[in-house]
Amino acid sequence: MKPRPGWFSKTTVDGRTTMLTEPFVTDYCRANMWLVRGRDHDLLVDTGMGICPLAPEIETTPGKPLLAVATHVHLDHVGSLHEFSWRAGPRIEAEAFATMPDAATYAYMFRDLPGAVSELPYPGWKSMDYAIEPAPLHRLLDEGDVIDLGDRAFHVLHLPGHSPGSIGLFDGQDGTLFSGDAIHGGVLIDDMPDSDRIPYCATMRRLLKLPVRVTHGGHADSIDGPRMREIAEDYLRRNEG
Ligand SMILES: [Zn+2]
């Protein structure tokens, strides 16, 4: 079935970065996806809901592989991961990627959500039929790993709290952080069954020490370093007693 044109929006961030999102998905589940062009291979950070095929939207260069990385296993970050032939994600959540159980992805929340989408992706679509395809990982990411695109490198940071395995990707050369749901300009979620505020506080203390220039998060608009630190400090004030 042909999906609705414009299901994905694309915004050019800079010469080598494009942001994609799904404007008709309810804002709670509307996540950002980041396409980063590299010399030796490209990188896709997170893959949206998987309601419409994402892979055809991602231009690739013949002979240049694309690594699709999910920052964590929640539904709005892994829906289209299975469409990509080279997949990476946090080792701590790897088992869930292989089967995508509801208990780990929270797909059931979207199924039961009134107004899940503001426009139908295609005629007859129903949120109650929503399901996520398994996407076993080819590369398991740990704290300290490096994703090297040839002309720039991203360090894997383990940023637990929102979920136990949440990771961020940090380019220390230019201060760019892809942060997933660990920190962003929207409402930070720390009350899911797999969230934990104690490691979340440690994550915020760590982010405060990181020389971040810009944060491209899983939700909301990108934020600069000072704003990110403000959000981290605010979180610590509210949660560290
Ligand atoms: Zn999440």
Side-chain angles (χ1 to χ4, degrees), residues 125-156:
W125 180 90
K126 286 188 194 69
S127 64
M128 61 191 263
D129 299 330
Y130 178 73
I132 300 177
E133 296 283 327
L137 300 176
H138 305 101
R139 185 171 171 195
L140 306 180
L141 298 174
D142 291 305
E143 166 70 31
D145 284 351
V146 175
I147 295 174
D148 191 350
L149 306 189
D151 53 349
R152 73 190 294 195
F154 289 94
H155 289 257
V156 175

Side-chain angles (χ1 to χ4, degrees), residues 71-77 105-106 162-163 166 180-182 184 189 192 194 219:
T71 56
H72 61 298
V73 78
H74 292 166
L75 73 162
D76 45 340
H77 302 261
T105 65
Y106 304 124
H162 170 77
S163 82
S166 280
D181 285 357
H184 53 71
I189 308 290
M192 309 285 278
D194 65 345
H219 299 272

Side-chain angles (χ1 to χ4, degrees), residues 12-35:
T12 301
V13 178
D14 57 43
R16 47 190 182 172
T17 316
T18 306
M19 191 267 269
L20 293 94
T21 192
E22 295 164 285
F24 305 119
V25 171
T26 183
D27 51 358
Y28 188 69
C29 289
R30 189 191 311 130
N32 299 327
M33 297 155 256
W34 303 94
L35 177 63

Side-chain angles (χ1 to χ4, degrees), residues 23-154:
F24 305 119
V25 171
T26 183
D27 51 358
Y28 188 69
C29 289
R30 189 191 311 130
N32 299 327
M33 297 155 256
W34 303 94
L35 177 63
V36 184
R37 301 294 183 191
R39 189 192 67 196
D40 300 343
H41 69 84
D42 295 331
L43 172 68
L44 177 65
V45 182
D46 288 331
T47 62
M49 291 292 291
I51 294 170
C52 292
L54 171 65
E57 304 287 327
I58 307 291
E59 247 177 80
T60 49
T61 313
K64 195 175 169 203
L66 172 78
L67 178 66
V69 176
T71 56
H72 61 298
V73 78
H74 292 166
L75 73 162
D76 45 340
H77 302 261
V78 300
S80 281
L81 189 61
H82 67 99
E83 298 171 35
F84 299 92
S85 55
W86 191 23
R87 304 183 289 264
R91 179 187 300 275
I92 293 167
E93 297 176 3
E95 223 171 285
F97 281 83
T99 56
M100 297 292 186
D102 262 23
T105 65
Y106 304 124
Y108 59 89
M109 291 186 179
F110 184 71
R111 263 177 235 133
D112 301 336
L113 205 61
V117 297
S118 59
E119 302 232 358
L120 290 185
Y122 44 84
W125 180 90
K126 286 188 194 69
S127 64
M128 61 191 263
D129 299 330
Y130 178 73
I132 300 177
E133 296 283 327
L137 300 176
H138 305 101
R139 185 171 171 195
L140 306 180
L141 298 174
D142 291 305
E143 166 70 31
D145 284 351
V146 175
I147 295 174
D148 191 350
L149 306 189
D151 53 349
R152 73 190 294 195
F154 289 94

